[in-house]
Each structure stands twice: as C-alpha cells, then as structure tokens.
Amino acid sequence: MEQNNLGGLGTKPTQKRWFVLFLVCLITFVNYLDRANLAVAAPFLSKDLRLNAAMMGVIFSAMGWSYTIMQIPCGWLLDRFGPRLIYGVALVGWSLITTAISISSGFRSMIAFRLGLGFFEAPAFPANNRIVTAWFPSKERGLAIGAYTGAEYIGLALCTPILTWLLIKFGWRSIFITTGLIGVACAFIWFAAYHDPAKFKGVNKAELDLIKKGGGLSDTVVEQKKVTWKEMKYLFNSRQLWGMYIGGFANAAILFFFMTWFPSYLVSEKHMAIIKVGIYGALPYLSAIAGVLIAGKWSDWMISKKYSLGMARKLPVIVGLLLASVIIGANYSNNVNVVITFMCIAFFGQGMASAITWALLSEIVPKELVGSCGGTYNFITNLGGTLSPAIVGYLIATTGSYAAALVFVSSMGLLGAFSYIFIIGKPSRILIPD
C-alpha cells in the first residue's frame, strides 16, 4: 500500500516526480506550439495582411520584447508564490491571447497580441527549472530537463504538418483558434493535478528523501519565501553565470530562427510548395528531439560514471553549438535534400545544447534564488531570441536573400561554444553566506 509523505521509512520510493515531469512536458508542448504557430501561418498571413519581410521580423520579435522584460519579475513571483499559481495563470493568459490573434487585422494588432503572448509566456521556463530542481535528484535531472526540452520540438515536429493542413483547409486564423483552445484545456489539468513536493498527494517520505539526498531541493524550495535585494547581487557577479548567459543568448538566437523564419525560408528562398513545407519542415524538429534525448542521456551517463560535472554538463552543449554552426552550409546548395540535411544537423545540435543548459544552471544556482536565477538567465538568453528574428528580417530586406541571415545564425553557434569553453570554467554551486 502506498505511503503518504508523513511516513514510510524503508519503503520503496513513490514515482510521483515522473508524473510531475509529464505535466511539465505537456505544458511546454503547448507553450512552444503557441510560440511557433505564427511561423507556419506567416507565408499566408503576411500576404493577407500586406506585411513585408521587415515588418514580419518586427512581429516575430515582438513576443520576445515583453517575454524578456518579464523574466526577472517572473522569477521573483515564482520564488514568492510558487509555480502552481504563477504557471497556471500564465497558461490561461497566453492561451486566450493565442486565440485572439485570429482576429488580427494588420501590423499594429499583430504587435499588440504578440506582446501579450510574450507577457504571459514569460514564467514558463523559470517555472520548469524550479519544478525540476525541486522534484529531481541530480542524477536524473539531465533526463528530466531533456524531456521537457524535447517537448518543445515534439510540438513543432508533430504539429507542423497538422497546422499546415489547417492553414490550407481553413485559413491561417484557424491555426490560432485551435492552438489557443488546446492551451485552455491544459490549464484545467494543471490546476487539478500539480502541487509542490511537500503538498503533493501520494508522494511518500522515501521519495522526498531520494530527491533531497540526490541534490534536489524538495524541502528547501518553498512557497512564500522572501528574497532580499542583497541576495540578488549574486545573479550578476558570477563568472559561471555570465558564461551561461552568453551561451544561452547565442543558443536562443539559433532556436528563434527555426521558430520564426524557417518555413518562410523554405517557401521564399528554396521555392518549396507549402504542402511540402509541412512535411520537410518537420524533419529538423525531429532531429532536434533526437539531439535533446541523446544529450540528456549522454550527460546523465557521464554523471553516473563519475566524470566531472563540467565534462558531463558542458561537453554536450559545446558539441551541440558547434554542430549548429554548420547551418551555413545551406548557403552553398539549392538541392532541397542537401539544404534540409544541413538544417537537420544544425537543429540536432541546437537541441543538444538546449537539453543540458538548464541542467547545468540547476547545479550552480544558489538554492535561495532558484526562480530568480532562472528568470535572470531566461531574460538574457531571450534577448537573443528577441533580436534574432528582427536581425534576420532586416538582413533579408536589405540583401534580398537569406544568405547573410544564415551567416549570422552560424556565428551564434560559434559564440555560444566559445562561452562554454572559455568563460564558465569549473562549475560549482554558488553559495550565499549567512
């Protein structure tokens, strides 16, 4: 008979943390579906609303403006009120905004709705990091973070053909109505099912002890914690964190090219029919899923074999970012199969890098500032995601092709690898003195 969390010494640990991971993966799936649906709609939407490449670049970036600005406040809110309330409210908000995009009539309304989307999506990844840090021991954390990171790409890979079908059959507005309603339904599931470890029904003491002894923060990350401004300085005076901030900035710039301009690149630059985009466009996302899973397992395997934390958590990221830089090879071929191959390699590498970055962050963040540090990391990281679509749009508008844009994306891979190799150094937990 399953024990509750008040007893059960010597009993087999329950497995509630894996159900929590399923919930996080589900919400992350929805989160990225609602971020990237515009990329699928863009070729038709831009013609219908008479939006040129520079205007679309601004629209793609608009979500990142509010998303980035809200990262540090959202980290504080998560430390103050916990992920159940903040994540749940955010999910409802961004789902309703997604649905409302279907009534857009032009440039200004698209900007307004994308700003709203970014505002409500801001708590997502700081919340994911806080939840996994609270629920999972270190030896399982790479797999857990890899799983929810993989959920980003699963949504994009599996739903790109479906969203393309909706686009062709019912028009671009149907994409936003459908994805928004899916999010509202998931909000009900979240509020009904999620609680922090100490309050989660059915979790026993053995599982809580397993998490704590393995480096999880099951009993130290609590709701209603007051964070002082004196403690916040530790978010900005660490070389380790600045190395991660720069690497995250570069990685996000690569990701947001795929999340925004990639379908339009296939249609405009490589002259691919929209129905083929739904099929070929899913292949890089599937490659990213493979990269996430391989990197997560590889990193956890190195941890289990007693490799250093730096080797286990940094090496997959470095390899991934270097692979992402090969995207520049697509500039030298017009063969669709060759182009897609370069894109698949690049997105495989981006997936590898994404799988472990949050795992490394969870190993070095001060335990008193899990949410705030996650928010700060996501703030600086998403400057890359915010700037990237606008830079790509500007380069397309001024040069008339995507060649310079791919050079920019490739350079971000090299910058990120440099940061992980030379700036972070030997990772260790940052301690705040009493």
Side-chain angles (χ1 to χ4, degrees):
M1 184 175 178
E2 187 177 78
Q3 302 292 318
N4 61 29
N5 61 359
L6 298 178
L9 287 174
T11 62
K12 185 177 180 180
T14 49
Q15 302 293 317
K16 296 300 182 182
R17 63 194 183 281
W18 300 108
F19 174 70
V20 169
L21 180 60
F22 166 77
L23 291 177
V24 170
C25 289
L26 176 65
I27 305 307
T28 303
F29 171 96
V30 173
N31 182 277
Y32 265 73
L33 188 61
D34 289 346
R35 292 189 195 195
N37 50 19
L38 179 60
V40 177
F44 282 19
L45 179 151
S46 59
K47 290 181 180 179
D48 189 23
L49 301 184
R50 299 179 181 179
L51 304 170
N52 60 33
M55 294 169 75
M56 284 303 301
V58 174
I59 290 169
F60 279 135
S61 291
M63 191 206 89
W65 305 342
S66 53
Y67 184 91
T68 301
I69 290 170
M70 286 300 298
Q71 286 306 300
I72 294 176
C74 283
W76 180 86
L77 288 170
L78 285 163
D79 285 333
R80 181 69 175 84
F81 298 105
R84 183 176 183 271
L85 175 63
I86 300 303
Y87 212 172
V89 170
L91 175 55
V92 173
W94 88 59
S95 298
L96 293 177
I97 291 289
T98 297
T99 304
I101 293 175
S102 65
I103 64 173
S104 294
S105 58
F107 181 72
R108 291 182 180 179
S109 58
M110 284 297 303
I111 291 291
F113 286 132
R114 291 287 287 182
L115 286 171
L117 184 68
F119 177 88
F120 281 106
E121 287 207 353
F125 274 77
N128 287 351
N129 184 54
R130 188 184 189 280
I131 292 165
V132 168
T133 303
W135 273 96
F136 283 86
S138 181
K139 67 179 182 179
E140 296 175 348
R141 206 170 292 153
L143 177 61
I145 293 173
Y148 77 65
T149 304
E152 306 170 11
Y153 307 106
I154 291 172
L156 301 176
L158 297 184
C159 293
T160 294
I162 297 172
L163 295 182
T164 302
W165 176 82
L166 284 171
L167 175 67
I168 295 170
K169 191 75 174 176
F170 301 105
W172 63 265
R173 298 180 193 275
S174 66
I175 291 177
F176 300 103
I177 295 171
T178 302
T179 52
L181 292 178
I182 290 172
V184 172
C186 288
F188 286 100
I189 298 173
W190 174 259
F191 278 117
Y194 181 78
H195 293 278
D196 279 349
K199 298 180 180 180
F200 201 95
K201 184 178 181 181
V203 65
N204 65 4
K205 187 176 185 298
E207 184 173 12
L208 294 177
D209 288 342
L210 173 69
I211 296 167
K212 181 180 179 182
K213 291 176 182 177
L217 305 179
S218 62
D219 65 343
T220 56
V221 179
V222 295
E223 297 185 9
Q224 307 300 324
K225 180 188 181 300
K226 184 177 181 180
V227 180
T228 67
W229 287 110
K230 184 178 180 180
E231 292 173 333
M232 293 290 284
K233 72 179 182 181
Y234 290 91
L235 303 178
F236 302 101
N237 64 3
S238 165
R239 176 174 172 173
Q240 292 185 95
L241 289 178
W242 274 109
M244 292 207 63
Y245 296 157
I246 295 169
F249 177 99
N251 195 33
I254 300 167
L255 172 61
F256 271 70
F257 168 78
F258 282 97
M259 285 181 55
T260 56
W261 283 107
F262 177 58
S264 296
Y265 166 78
L266 295 179
V267 172
S268 302
E269 186 80 358
K270 300 306 176 182
H271 309 293
M272 186 179 292
I274 189 67
I275 189 66
K276 288 187 177 180
V277 172
I279 300 171
Y280 279 91
L283 295 178
Y285 299 131
L286 292 171
S287 300
I289 294 169
V292 167
L293 297 177
I294 289 171
K297 289 295 291 182
W298 182 21
S299 179
D300 283 351
W301 176 82
M302 285 191 281
I303 290 287
S304 70
K305 295 299 182 181
K306 309 301 182 184
Y307 284 83
S308 69
L309 180 63
M311 177 70 74
R313 295 308 195 206
K314 288 171 59 179
L315 183 59
V317 180
I318 294 167
V319 171
L321 288 166
L322 291 175
L323 286 175
S325 69
V326 308
I327 194 173
I328 197 173
N331 279 344
Y332 301 98
S333 177
N334 287 319
N335 184 294
V336 171
N337 293 324
V338 173
V339 169
I340 291 296
T341 298
F342 278 115
M343 294 293 169
C344 286
I345 294 170
F347 215 12
F348 174 87
Q350 196 281 327
M352 286 186 68
S354 296
I356 307 301
T357 52
W358 283 95
L360 179 58
L361 184 68
S362 70
E363 303 285 5
I364 66 178
V365 58
K367 66 181 182 180
E368 298 89 347
L369 299 172
V370 175
S372 298
C373 189
T376 304
Y377 172 74
N378 228 22
F379 170 79
I380 297 174
T381 291
N382 280 280
L383 288 176
T386 300
L387 294 173
S388 177
I391 292 171
V392 170
Y394 172 79
L395 292 172
I396 296 168
T398 54
T399 66
S401 78
Y402 283 75
L406 294 195
V407 172
F408 163 73
V409 175
S410 178
S411 69
M412 289 295 100
L414 297 177
L415 173 65
F418 176 89
S419 179
Y420 268 80
I421 294 170
F422 296 108
I423 299 178
I424 292 178
K426 183 179 179 180
S428 60
R429 176 80 64 190
I430 299 168
L431 301 177
I432 297 178
D434 296 331

